[in-house]
Structures are given as C-alpha cells and as structure tokens.
Amino acid sequence: MSLRINDIAPDFTAETTQGTVRFHEWIGDQWAVLFSHPKDFTPVCTTELGYMARIEPEFTKRNAKLIGLSVDPVDSHSRWLGDIEETQGAKVNYPIIADAKLEVSKLYNMLPAEDVTTDGRTAATNQTVRSVFIVGPDKKIKLMLTYPMTTGRNFDEILRVLDSMQMTAKFKVATPANWKPGDDVIIAGSVSDEDAKTLFPQGWKTVKPYLRVTKSPQ
C-alpha cells in the first residue's frame, strides 16, 4: 500500500551507526527527518550527508532529529563517514540506518516489494531510494519528497517546510508560495471572519474572501 501524508509512519527496528534503533521510540516527542540514500560512497550523497551534518544544529533548535539510511551494512557506513568528514568538513553525529536487506526501503515504498538484497546491487539499481520523510511527534508522515539520483537535495527547503509545518500546527494559518519565516501568512479557510477578529487582532487584508493575508503570528 502506498504511503500518504498523515499516515502513521511505518515503525521498524534497524541497526545503525549508533546501535539498534526502534524508530517510533527513537522519535519520542520530537520531529524526525528520515533521508535515504541508494548506496555508500556515492558522490551526491556524500555532499548531502555532509551538509546535513553542518546544519544539524538548526534542526535541533526546531526539536527535530536526523536519521539517514543507506542500503549497505554498518561497517561500510562507518568507513564512508570518514570520507564525508574529510571531504565535506563536517562530522556526522546522527545515526545512519544499515538497510542491506532493503527492509526499510521497501517498508517505505522506495523499492518494489519483490526486490531482494544482493551483493551486486548498484546505486542505479536503488535509485528510487532518494527520499525524505518528515515525521511528526504524533508519528504521522508530514512530508514526502523523492529526488532523482543526480540531483542533490535542497535541505534548506526541508528546514523551511519544517518551520511552516510547526507554525501551522500551532496557529490557524497556512503559508503562501515561497514563504519564509517572518513573511505574511494566510488565515486558514476554516476560520470565520468573526473568529479571525479574536485570533488575529492585528487585522488582515482580504484579497478575496478565501484569501486573507495577515502578519506572521511568530
């Protein structure tokens, strides 16, 4: 069955570079960013893991944890981490799941269920294992993205989306195209004008009855 936004993120137990992880238990009451990779020692993924290591403190500020995944065993991950630190100038402090049997990749619909593990698998074989999942404290999937193998992911965008989701979960607003923290927001359609007077005492601009713009509540 395909996964959808607001589905409960499939739970799993897996070995990582930091020991055994039980996913839901590991998330706890925080947000989680699971980002996957088709193979160790691949160039684009090396830059991605390094960049995420550099900006991990930004996720920590947002009560979010990072966890990577690659379809190789832990000992391979451990060797790769040395290359990442050497070439990207950042040490990876978050766990990386060892998915050599493709169990998590298939659980999250990144590979066909009939795929089986083989020593001869290449990055191209696993090219659909290039996904990002954001999971909320309620263990529900809040975002899913899948990139082509040759395009590095924009993790600044992941931070932007996380900011939007955390704010819109707290306040009855939505964020417009290209929104950035501090920009104006849109009053949710479920909020009547009467209720909006209480929720948004600073007022708003009515562009259309369904498009009411107000200052960011944060």
Side-chain angles (χ1 to χ4, degrees):
M1 181 182 294
S2 297
L3 294 175
R4 297 178 175 85
I5 298 294
N6 286 326
D7 281 352
I8 296 294
D11 197 13
F12 59 84
T13 299
E15 295 305 311
T16 79
T17 51
Q18 297 182 9
T20 304
V21 162
R22 294 168 181 81
F23 190 49
H24 283 194
E25 179 182 303
W26 177 83
I27 294 171
D29 61 356
Q30 296 180 268
W31 294 70
V33 180
L34 166 64
F35 61 112
S36 57
H37 306 273
K39 196 75 178 167
D40 291 357
F41 302 101
T42 49
V44 174
C45 297
T46 297
T47 65
E48 291 180 330
L49 286 163
Y51 188 74
M52 284 295 258
R54 289 198 295 275
I55 67 170
E56 184 177 14
E58 292 299 320
F59 287 96
T60 301
K61 289 178 189 175
R62 293 159 171 82
N63 194 37
K65 306 170 77 171
L66 304 179
I67 188 164
L69 176 150
S70 186
V71 291
D72 281 305
V74 168
D75 62 340
S76 175
H77 290 356
S78 298
R79 294 194 305 273
W80 188 24
L81 292 181
D83 283 4
I84 293 166
E85 185 172 2
E86 176 188 346
T87 62
Q88 305 304 307
K91 182 179 180 180
V92 174
N93 293 313
Y94 51 82
I96 303 177
I97 296 163
D99 195 30
K101 294 182 179 180
L102 310 176
E103 292 171 342
V104 180
S105 298
K106 289 190 282 189
L107 189 63
Y108 277 74
N109 295 313
M110 292 184 276
L111 282 171
E114 64 269 17
D115 275 7
V116 296
T117 181
T118 67
D119 292 336
R121 292 183 72 86
T122 66
T125 312
N126 303 325
Q127 62 183 303
T128 51
V129 187
R130 288 271 296 151
S131 298
V132 181
F133 297 86
I134 295 183
V135 180
D138 58 2
K139 312 303 183 289
K140 291 183 178 180
I141 295 172
K142 307 298 183 182
L143 172 141
M144 297 186 294
L145 288 173
T146 299
Y147 276 62
M149 197 168 65
T150 53
T151 301
R153 285 167 278 194
N154 185 339
F155 291 110
D156 292 336
E157 166 66 1
I158 303 304
L159 276 172
R160 188 191 76 91
V161 175
L162 183 59
D163 282 335
S164 172
M165 291 191 298
Q166 290 184 338
M167 182 180 65
T168 58
K170 184 176 181 181
F171 302 99
K172 294 184 177 181
V173 297
T175 55
N178 298 325
W179 173 87
K180 299 183 295 297
D183 287 354
D184 290 350
V185 297
I186 297 167
I187 298 173
S190 59
V191 177
S192 67
D193 282 350
E194 192 62 32
D195 289 340
K197 292 175 184 177
T198 301
L199 294 172
F200 306 100
Q202 72 274 26
W204 62 88
K205 177 183 178 182
T206 301
V207 181
K208 289 287 185 181
Y210 57 85
L211 179 54
R212 297 164 295 170
V213 180
T214 190
K215 296 294 183 184
S216 172
Q218 292 186 323

